[in-house]
């Protein structure tokens, strides 16, 4: 069930994703220790990541988080010849040893494939490569090439357990749809283990927060990107959670007047034509939000809403190709839109 409400909030000085934790002006609510702010960055998983932590343990926490992210990239890179995923992709159909982290993430990705009825498929890597989305050498593959590559995909071909993984020859996997979310979870855990109770992680648009409020007592403010232009379509106030967005605007190319976007439909091997421009998923677990932001984009509005109604502790902001904004009821009151009308999705 959906209902309409008009936006009545005028946004002034909207904070975008990489500066959400900058406002600590209310000194009456912050202690001297809370006022200590540390920042760090790392380039990993093909994106620039920043971490801002508050408190006396912030610097050590950030260093630990950076090490965790770097470690995971070395495990999951599809281009690093020393990574476990590269080794698996080039194993020629033989079983290879994998770490506990890789085994866990592979099992999670397989489970999400079945939960989303195939909308998330980590075996699409050869198809993505054929389009040039992994290399930047863009082209439109012909139907016969796509059909041949689709014959090699299939999550059911993956076998993983007891510290080993197997995929048949000509099948290749890419954990890009879940890796950053999982890295965010691991980085947040590292920060907490070092005593950090307030932090903001921006992993290339994947936002994760630590603490139900900033040191000044206010909620974290996350700008939701406008998929049709610069700036945001609104601001979301959140506590401790992950806020992860996927959209066709992130990577695309144009040929002969046609725009081809990087999120592929596993059924067709072509850019998903779901009617959605972007999907933002809000929840407690980064890897789940990451996986769902991609798969719900592929599903389209109606199926995404149906999935949400069957879920627990999960919220969404969907933007359609025609500019419609759809917000689930659990976060509607915390979303301050710039557009005039927003549709609230009810259970």
């Amino acid at each position: 069930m959906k209902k309409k409400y008009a936006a009545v909030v005028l946004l002034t000085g909207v904070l975008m994703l990489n500066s959400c934790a900058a406002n600590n002006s209310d000194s009456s609510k912050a202690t001297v220790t809370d006022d200590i702010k540390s920042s760090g960055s790392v380039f990993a998983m093909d994106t620039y990541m920043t971490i801002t932590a508050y408190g006396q343990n912030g610097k050590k926490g950030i260093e630990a988080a950076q090490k965790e992210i770097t470690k995971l990239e070395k495990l999951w890179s599809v281009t690093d010849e020393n990574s476990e995923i590269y080794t698996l992709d080039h194993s020629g159909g033989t079983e290879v040893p994998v770490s506990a982290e890789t085994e866990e993430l592979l099992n999670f990705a397989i489970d999400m494939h079945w939960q989303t009825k195939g909308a998330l498929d980590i075996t699409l890597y050869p198809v993505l490569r054929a389009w040039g989305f992994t290399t930047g050498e863009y082209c439109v593959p012909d139907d016969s090439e796509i059909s041949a590559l689709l014959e090699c995909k299939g999550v059911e071909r993956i076998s993983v357990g007891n510290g080993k993984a197997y995929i048949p020859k000509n099948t290749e996997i890419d954990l890009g749809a879940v890796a950053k979310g999982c890295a965010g979870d691991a980085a947040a855990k590292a920060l907490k283990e070092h005593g950090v109770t307030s932090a903001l992680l921006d992993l290339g648009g994947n936002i994760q927060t630590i603490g139900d409020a900033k040191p000044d007592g206010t909620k974290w403010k996350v700008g939701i990107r406008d998929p049709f232009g610069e700036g945001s379509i609104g601001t979301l106030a959140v506590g401790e959670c992950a806020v992860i967005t996927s959209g066709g605007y992130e990577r695309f190319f144009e040929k002969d007047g046609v725009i081809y976007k990087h999120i592929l439909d596993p059924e067709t091997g072509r850019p998903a034509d779901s009617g959605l421009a972007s999907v933002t998923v809000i929840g407690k677990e980064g890897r789940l939000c990451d996986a769902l932001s991609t798969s719900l984009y592929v599903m389209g509005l109606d199926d995404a809403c149906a999935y949400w109604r069957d879920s627990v502790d999960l919220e969404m902001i969907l933007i359609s190709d025609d500019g419609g904004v759809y917000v689930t009821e659990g976060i509607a009151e915390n979303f301050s839109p710039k557009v005039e009308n927003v549709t609230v999705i009810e259970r």
Side-chain angles (χ1 to χ4, degrees), residues 20-346:
C20 297
N23 181 10
N24 291 300
S25 59
D26 189 351
S27 59
S28 65
K29 296 181 180 179
T31 67
V32 173
T33 300
D34 288 337
D35 278 342
I36 300 174
K37 183 171 76 170
S38 303
S39 298
S41 62
V42 60
F43 186 83
M45 301 182 182
D46 199 30
T47 192
Y48 185 72
M49 306 179 180
T50 61
I51 304 171
T52 302
Y54 296 88
Q56 60 183 357
N57 299 317
K59 185 176 180 179
K60 290 183 178 179
I62 289 173
E63 290 173 352
Q66 290 169 322
K67 289 180 181 179
E68 193 68 22
I69 291 169
T70 301
K71 180 188 78 172
L72 295 178
E73 182 189 33
K74 289 180 179 179
L75 292 178
W76 300 334
S77 170
V78 292
T79 57
D80 183 347
E81 295 183 5
N82 297 313
S83 82
E84 293 182 348
I85 295 304
Y86 185 95
T87 301
L88 184 59
D89 283 346
H90 295 81
S91 63
T94 60
E95 196 174 54
V96 300
V98 293
S99 62
E101 292 91 342
T102 299
E103 181 175 342
E104 182 180 2
L105 190 55
L106 283 171
N107 280 321
F108 170 76
I110 293 169
D111 183 55
M112 290 305 301
H113 172 82
W114 301 119
Q115 281 194 34
T116 60
K117 298 180 180 179
L120 183 77
D121 193 328
I122 61 173
T123 63
L124 272 182
Y125 181 59
V127 188
L128 281 164
R129 187 170 55 215
W131 283 92
F133 288 123
T134 62
T135 63
E137 299 175 0
Y138 301 119
C139 67
V140 180
D142 58 37
D143 291 343
S144 60
E145 182 179 3
I146 292 176
S147 296
L149 292 173
L150 288 177
E151 288 293 321
C152 299
K153 82 174 181 72
V155 168
E156 69 278 0
R157 298 167 179 256
I158 304 172
S159 175
V160 58
N162 299 316
K164 296 180 180 179
Y166 163 85
I167 56 175
K169 187 177 181 180
N170 297 324
T171 297
E172 296 179 64
I173 63 176
D174 175 14
L175 296 173
V178 292
K180 279 201 298 180
C182 190
D185 291 333
K189 181 180 178 182
L191 285 159
K192 289 180 179 180
E193 287 177 346
H194 282 75
V196 174
T197 58
S198 182
L200 176 78
L201 300 87
D202 182 350
L203 281 62
N206 283 26
I207 301 298
Q208 289 193 232
T209 58
I210 296 176
D212 285 332
K214 294 187 291 182
D216 64 2
T218 62
K219 291 290 186 181
W220 303 98
K221 298 294 195 305
V222 180
I224 305 302
R225 178 169 170 174
D226 182 351
F228 309 110
E230 299 297 325
S232 70
I233 56 94
T235 304
L236 183 65
V238 298
E240 182 169 314
C241 66
V243 183
I244 297 180
T245 301
S246 289
Y249 60 83
E250 295 171 312
R251 190 174 302 164
F252 64 90
F253 69 95
E254 182 176 351
K255 184 175 182 180
D256 298 329
V258 179
I259 294 176
Y260 299 94
K261 301 176 181 180
H262 78 289
I263 301 179
L264 303 185
D265 184 336
E267 288 295 317
T268 66
R270 294 183 171 277
D273 186 18
S274 66
L276 292 176
S278 72
V279 172
T280 299
V281 181
I282 303 98
K284 294 298 183 183
E285 188 179 29
R287 67 176 187 176
L288 178 63
C289 294
D290 205 6
L292 287 176
S293 66
T294 302
S295 51
L296 297 182
Y297 178 97
V298 172
M299 289 182 189
L301 178 62
D302 291 341
D303 287 345
C305 291
Y307 187 96
W308 169 76
R309 291 189 177 99
D310 290 335
S311 302
V312 179
D313 295 331
L314 181 70
E315 303 295 342
M316 307 182 303
I317 299 174
L318 311 175
I319 303 176
S320 62
D321 286 339
D322 61 7
V325 179
Y326 302 82
V327 182
T328 52
E329 61 181 1
I331 56 168
E333 292 185 357
N334 296 322
F335 180 60
S336 300
K338 286 185 174 180
V339 293
E340 292 185 359
N341 293 293
V342 175
T343 300
V344 177
I345 306 168
E346 297 179 333

